[in-house]
Amino acid sequence: PLQCHAQGWLPVGDGHEIYWETCGNPMGAPALFVHGGPGAGCTAADRRWFNPQHYRIVLLDQRGAGRSRPAGELRANTTEHLVRDMEALRRHLQIKDWLLFGGSWGATLALAYAQRFPQCVRGLVLRGVFTATVRELHWLYAPHGAALVYPAAWQRFTATIAPSQRAAPLPALAAALHSGDPALEDATAQAWLRWEGDLMDFELHREQGASRAASTSDSALAGAAAAARIGVHYARHDFFLADGELLQQAARLRDVPGVIVQGQRDLVTPPASAETLHRAWPLSRLVRVPEGGHASTHGEIAQRLVEAADEFSMETSHERQRFHA
């Protein structure tokens, strides 16, 4: 574990202040960890993907998430706002360009930023690619997708809403999370956060009846509610991206190298998205992990991610070109 050597809150407008911190080598190559969710926030463990001798490691909590203020705020909270916030932080920290490292939603947001500001991105390390296409949304949030693979998990996921609403559950889940009934809001938040966890458990062939333990402290409940509200807010608005937008704009990454690490058993973000992105992005390298699922903690996935970050710490453009040849 690393201690951060600088931290603060950056006002970004609309009443939002985003929390940021840096650690590692203050004179090193800048690298930004882009967290998932949406709404998850960063943890101390997220500092550990990067060699602290080589990298100036930057973490930020996205609008409404983690330690950013106000917690759980949905107003002026879209993908476009988050991209602008990342750029505002880059300027605030006086960084010329940086490596972006993200998985799942973090990969989505990293791609959106890199396509908007390719000149500010020295490289991308992505895991469990999610490009927010209609196909991916239906896989996660419709009864004919992942629900068919693990029906028990889908039943838990939709347990707090009426059966008639389960064909398109997102509006009903949003209503439940804002119902004013603390018990219903907590149960819905826990169900939302457990859905991906159940799929990751199933990837590893754990006992189907097992589920992740829910935290019960007041602070944990408040954090779960905020994260779930943000997650549902983004999902029900198609993550504020047009269908296929990130794939259609992949040409903007023509000068940006990247590594995509993809578990072949990933049930949250199946491998088809990573394969499609790789074909559309000439400077990408796809690392397939046959036994890996969605979790970054899987041994080989973690190893490949660390190796990719280490490779990008090479300083000369010649070495980078040789690596991606």
Side-chain angles (χ1 to χ4, degrees), residues 223-248:
R229 287 178 183 134
I230 293 171
V232 173
H233 168 68
Y234 272 79
R236 71 181 299 215
H237 290 97
D238 301 333
F239 294 86
F240 300 97
L241 292 164
D243 183 28
E245 177 180 342
L246 295 180
L247 297 171
Q248 293 163 8

Side-chain angles (χ1 to χ4, degrees), residues 240-277:
F240 300 97
L241 292 164
D243 183 28
E245 177 180 342
L246 295 180
L247 297 171
Q248 293 163 8
Q249 301 297 329
R252 296 186 178 183
L253 304 177
R254 58 184 175 272
D255 298 321
V256 179
V259 176
I260 304 167
V261 178
Q262 179 66 44
Q264 298 301 98
R265 293 187 176 183
D266 192 333
L267 286 180
V268 179
T269 55
S273 298
E275 297 283 350
T276 304
L277 176 63

Side-chain angles (χ1 to χ4, degrees), residues 49-73:
W49 295 107
F50 311 93
N51 185 331
Q53 294 182 341
H54 296 294
Y55 279 111
R56 180 187 181 190
I57 305 161
V58 183
L59 279 69
L60 75 86
D61 289 342
Q62 295 156 25
R63 291 190 179 203
R67 291 148 291 187
S68 291
R69 305 183 295 216
E73 179 59 66

Side-chain angles (χ1 to χ4, degrees), residues 165-182:
Q165 299 171 316
R166 293 174 187 172
L170 294 173
L173 290 170
L177 286 167
H178 295 273
S179 66
D181 179 342

Side-chain angles (χ1 to χ4, degrees), residues 18-233:
I18 56 169
Y19 173 83
W20 62 270
E21 63 185 35
T22 59
C23 61
N25 181 353
M27 303 302 293
L32 175 68
F33 179 85
V34 187
H35 71 69
C42 292
T43 70
D46 297 326
R47 306 168 187 162
R48 302 183 67 186
W49 295 107
F50 311 93
N51 185 331
Q53 294 182 341
H54 296 294
Y55 279 111
R56 180 187 181 190
I57 305 161
V58 183
L59 279 69
L60 75 86
D61 289 342
Q62 295 156 25
R63 291 190 179 203
R67 291 148 291 187
S68 291
R69 305 183 295 216
E73 179 59 66
L74 304 184
R75 288 175 296 180
N77 195 335
T78 70
T79 300
E80 174 66 20
H81 286 103
L82 301 189
V83 167
R84 292 179 190 171
D85 292 349
M86 292 164 66
E87 178 61 6
L89 181 60
R90 184 191 68 82
R91 292 174 178 270
H92 176 71
L93 297 177
Q94 299 181 345
I95 290 171
K96 179 178 180 291
D97 55 20
W98 48 8
L99 172 72
L100 302 186
F101 183 112
S104 197
W105 165 250
T108 315
L109 186 55
L111 282 167
Y113 175 91
Q115 290 176 5
R116 173 68 71 85
F117 300 105
Q119 73 280 6
C120 301
V121 179
R122 63 175 60 193
L124 291 163
V125 177
L126 307 178
R127 170 195 59 81
V129 167
F130 178 71
T131 57
T133 62
V134 169
R135 175 180 55 82
E136 292 166 296
L137 292 169
H138 285 175
W139 169 257
L140 282 174
Y141 307 121
H144 52 270
L148 296 178
V149 178
Y150 196 175
W154 178 259
Q155 195 168 30
R156 285 193 291 271
F157 176 48
T158 57
T160 63
I161 62 176
S164 61
Q165 299 171 316
R166 293 174 187 172
L170 294 173
L173 290 170
L177 286 167
H178 295 273
S179 66
D181 179 342
L184 177 59
E185 289 180 358
D186 174 55
T188 305
Q190 295 297 334
W192 174 263
L193 298 175
R194 191 169 63 184
W195 167 234
E196 288 189 10
D198 277 347
L199 291 178
M200 286 191 280
D201 285 344
F202 191 70
E203 290 168 357
L204 300 175
H205 307 292
R206 294 180 182 173
E207 182 180 347
Q208 292 195 15
S211 61
R212 297 180 179 226
S215 301
T216 55
S217 70
D218 289 344
S219 60
L221 292 178
R229 287 178 183 134
I230 293 171
V232 173
H233 168 68

